[in-house]
Amino acid sequence: MWKNQFDSLYNTLNDNGRSMRVFYDKLQSCANKQSRTITVDDVSAAITCQKKSKSAGLNGIYMESFIFAGDKLAVHLSLLFTFCVRHCYLPSAFMDSVILPQVKNKCGDLTDPDNYRAIALSNAETKIFETVILCCINDAHDCDVYQFGFKKEHSTGMCTSVVKRTIDYYLRRGSYVFACFVDFQKAFDRVNYWKLFSQMLEDGSDACMVSLLAFWHSRQTLCVYWQGLCSEKFSVGNGTRQGGVLSPYLFTRFVRPLISAISQSKLGCNIGGLFVNLLAYADDMVLLSPSWRALQALIKLLELWCSKLDIICNTKKTVCMIFKPKSRNKYITDDFPCFAINGCKLNFVSQFRYLGHMLSNNLNDDDDIRREIRNLFVRTNMLISRFHRCSVHVKLTLFKSFCLCVYDAALWRYFSATTYSKFKSAYNKCIKKMFGYTRRDSMTGVFLELSLPTLDTIVHNSHVLFAKQCQRTYNKIVQWFSTIRV
């Protein structure tokens, strides 16, 4: 069942080889064919980046075998990788991967195969080679500032902060803001890698590296591991392997033309000459515009590039939201026409969970605080049910690990004192319940005895850490917001 599920998913696209022929025609006419050498230093640096205590691939060799092997193995690997790059060839065993189905929504139907995502597990030497290739082909583009996913010194909170601050900028100045939260259907699994590699050749990437990647993707085989059994192997006609070292870069590189076209369209939100009409975190995208017509034009542009890239928008999960001005005197109407993608009307919602943060159409953070209250009770009850007999030291370690991480607390700007007081009360109740205190015990004494921070301290530290993170980032949009008054 799993083999048929993922076999059909990874062989969805079929254009009768047209994209493949276009790629090889461009490859024949490409003049950027370098005879690259993979040095011992390249291999050593790639090995240093690897993580320990990870699962082994099909060959059963763990990453620790390479980390502690010494310099002689790095010499042999550099020779092997150099031969592979120069001849654009890889052994078949090198390209084999195993898929581990992972649940997407634990509250959903666990018997539905569509509720599982395919996480690929590669051999250790494959991960090292992918890291070496990534260092050779990684490039930058002006539109990459709109992509916050898979990048150092970036986070979901930073992307959500830019969305909220852009909307707040317009609402304070008496304007509406229209937002479209785009959801793609099987975005990673439907990547047309022939079109991806054609894009890379057009941008001047190393032709030998691109040719090697084309050989790798077109000849790789997968099998599914489930309950101690492996399925038969099957080929892959489209998609990038989720969990692979190269997959994040390849996906962001694949959707770069879409992001570039929308960001350069000069439609949508504009703050001081900087257009903030699209923000992306991997495949989670949001379109922003102060007018209805401009957002519909952005959606049409999105349709066009989705058609070019063989991407499908999930119209059932793609929703729109209308943010009204702060001043009621600026209200125009409450009845706006529905937006449409490919003729399908999109639903309007009053709140949406964007990158884990509850975003309301009035920018009020009460809903997000209530979400944290529910999560706090769930985590505390789970710890109590499983570890109620442990020592205080163990409970403290667990409580600090699971219950002191308040997600995106640094983004809370507009909330009622009542909701925040409920959060403080819930936090205090969870501490007393976790460590066996009574209701009448003083919280001041409890905090001193357990050396736990108060909720005000946690939220304050979240603001400070987030501000430092924004100062360290090299993202031009985040830096731009730090220089203007929003």
Side-chain angles (χ1 to χ4, degrees):
M1 185 272 293
W2 285 119
K3 187 257 183 183
N4 294 334
Q5 169 75 10
F6 293 116
D7 189 6
S8 60
L9 176 62
Y10 286 110
N11 292 280
T12 304
L13 306 179
N14 185 15
D15 58 359
N16 297 320
R18 183 173 60 86
S19 299
M20 180 180 65
R21 291 191 294 270
V22 170
F23 165 74
Y24 280 112
D25 289 342
K26 292 182 179 180
L27 185 63
Q28 292 295 329
S29 59
C30 184
N32 186 22
K33 295 182 179 180
Q34 303 175 5
S35 181
R36 182 180 292 273
T37 299
I38 306 301
T39 65
V40 177
D41 292 337
D42 295 334
V43 177
S44 299
I47 294 176
T48 304
C49 298
Q50 305 304 317
K51 297 180 181 179
K52 305 174 186 177
S53 303
K54 295 295 183 179
S55 301
L58 287 173
N59 59 12
I61 302 177
Y62 288 87
M63 185 59 71
E64 286 81 355
S65 301
F66 294 88
I67 295 176
F68 301 109
D71 296 334
K72 289 186 178 180
L73 181 59
V75 174
H76 291 285
L77 287 177
S78 66
L79 292 173
L80 171 64
F81 294 162
T82 300
F83 294 153
C84 291
V85 171
R86 291 185 177 181
H87 296 281
C88 302
Y89 175 83
L90 284 173
S92 58
F94 199 90
M95 298 181 288
D96 293 341
S97 297
V98 60
I99 288 177
L100 304 178
Q102 299 292 327
V103 179
K104 293 180 182 178
N105 182 13
K106 294 182 180 179
C107 298
D109 185 6
L110 299 182
T111 63
D112 183 11
D114 291 329
N115 193 28
Y116 291 78
R117 62 168 52 92
I119 302 299
L121 185 63
S122 305
N123 295 327
E125 64 273 16
T126 304
K127 296 179 182 178
I128 297 172
F129 192 28
E130 285 187 276
T131 306
V132 173
I133 294 177
L134 181 61
C135 296
C136 297
I137 64 174
N138 196 6
D139 59 349
H141 192 271
D142 292 340
C143 71
D144 289 343
V145 296
Y146 297 94
Q147 175 63 263
F148 287 76
F150 313 120
K151 297 168 72 174
K152 188 178 180 181
E153 303 296 345
H154 289 68
S155 64
T156 57
M158 193 177 295
C159 183
T160 307
S161 174
V162 174
V163 172
K164 295 183 69 174
R165 295 185 70 177
T166 301
I167 296 171
D168 190 50
Y169 178 88
Y170 275 86
L171 299 190
R172 285 179 171 274
R173 287 157 177 78
S175 173
Y176 281 80
V177 174
F178 300 86
C180 179
F181 300 94
V182 183
D183 183 82
F184 297 112
Q185 183 175 337
K186 304 290 185 182
F188 282 82
D189 303 326
R190 289 184 56 88
V191 170
N192 188 331
Y193 51 71
W194 294 115
K195 291 186 177 181
L196 166 64
F197 299 141
S198 295
Q199 294 173 11
M200 296 175 67
L201 289 179
E202 292 174 357
D203 289 347
S205 298
D206 185 354
C208 288
M209 285 292 185
V210 177
S211 179
L212 176 65
L213 290 174
F215 180 89
W216 192 340
H217 280 71
S218 60
R219 288 170 173 80
Q220 67 179 330
T221 57
L222 300 176
C223 65
V224 186
Y225 182 83
W226 180 257
Q227 300 294 327
L229 299 175
C230 281
S231 71
E232 296 179 356
K233 296 181 180 180
F234 57 91
S235 60
V236 178
N238 53 263
T240 60
R241 295 176 294 109
Q242 296 191 53
V245 177
L246 280 171
S247 298
Y249 168 77
L250 293 178
F251 178 79
T252 54
R253 180 62 189 79
F254 181 65
V255 297
R256 181 185 289 174
L258 185 153
I259 296 176
S260 177
I262 294 178
S263 61
Q264 296 177 7
S265 63
K266 296 185 178 181
L267 297 171
C269 292
N270 181 350
I271 300 179
L274 177 67
F275 279 92
V276 194
N277 52 7
L278 177 143
L279 292 168
Y281 193 93
D283 60 332
D284 290 310
M285 297 186 184
V286 56
L287 305 176
L288 299 173
S289 171
S291 70
W292 186 95
R293 190 174 297 275
L295 183 59
Q296 185 60 61
L298 292 176
I299 293 176
K300 288 292 183 182
L301 193 58
L302 176 74
E303 286 181 22
L304 174 64
W305 278 98
C306 285
S307 176
K308 290 182 178 180
L309 298 176
D310 298 324
I311 300 176
I312 297 178
C313 288
N314 190 344
T315 54
K316 294 182 179 180
K317 294 184 178 181
T318 299
V319 296
C320 298
M321 189 180 292
I322 301 175
F323 298 88
K324 299 178 182 179
K326 296 288 185 181
S327 174
R328 296 186 64 88
N329 297 330
K330 302 293 183 178
Y331 283 14
I332 299 175
T333 180
D334 293 331
D335 187 19
F336 287 95
C338 292
F339 296 98
I341 293 181
N342 297 322
C344 298
K345 293 184 178 180
L346 304 178
N347 296 324
F348 283 111
V349 295
S350 58
Q351 63 176 223
F352 182 76
R353 186 166 183 170
Y354 178 66
L355 300 179
H357 186 90
M358 293 301 300
L359 194 62
S360 302
N361 59 357
N362 56 1
L363 287 187
N364 191 287
D365 295 311
D366 286 350
D367 291 330
D368 195 60
I369 296 177
R370 295 189 190 100
R371 173 191 59 79
E372 275 298 322
I373 294 175
R374 292 191 296 269
N375 290 340
L376 180 61
F377 278 121
V378 169
R379 294 168 185 165
T380 304
N381 290 332
M382 182 271 294
L383 293 178
I384 292 173
S385 64
R386 296 184 181 183
F387 306 100
H388 63 281
R389 295 184 180 180
C390 294
S391 64
V392 175
H393 176 73
V394 173
K395 289 182 179 180
L396 268 174
T397 303
L398 292 170
F399 191 82
K400 290 178 180 179
S401 300
F402 289 93
C403 300
L404 297 190
C405 301
V406 183
Y407 184 75
D408 279 352
L411 306 186
W412 295 344
R413 298 181 66 182
Y414 307 110
F415 53 87
S416 63
T418 303
T419 304
Y420 188 74
S421 296
K422 289 181 180 179
F423 193 14
K424 292 176 67 175
S425 177
Y427 178 71
N428 296 340
K429 287 179 181 179
C430 288
I431 291 177
K432 289 183 176 181
K433 189 176 180 181
M434 179 74 181
F435 297 97
Y437 290 94
T438 64
R439 292 181 57 187
R440 296 187 178 183
D441 289 328
S442 171
M443 283 307 304
T444 303
V446 171
F447 286 131
L448 290 174
E449 186 175 346
L450 298 176
S451 298
L452 286 175
T454 64
L455 183 64
D456 292 335
T457 302
I458 294 175
V459 174
H460 173 75
N461 291 341
S462 298
H463 281 86
V464 173
L465 292 175
F466 184 75
K468 291 182 179 179
Q469 184 185 20
C470 292
Q471 292 174 359
R472 291 194 307 264
T473 185
Y474 53 86
N475 189 285
K476 184 175 66 174
I477 298 178
V478 179
Q479 293 175 353
W480 180 258
F481 273 98
S482 64
T483 59
I484 63 174
R485 185 177 180 180
V486 180

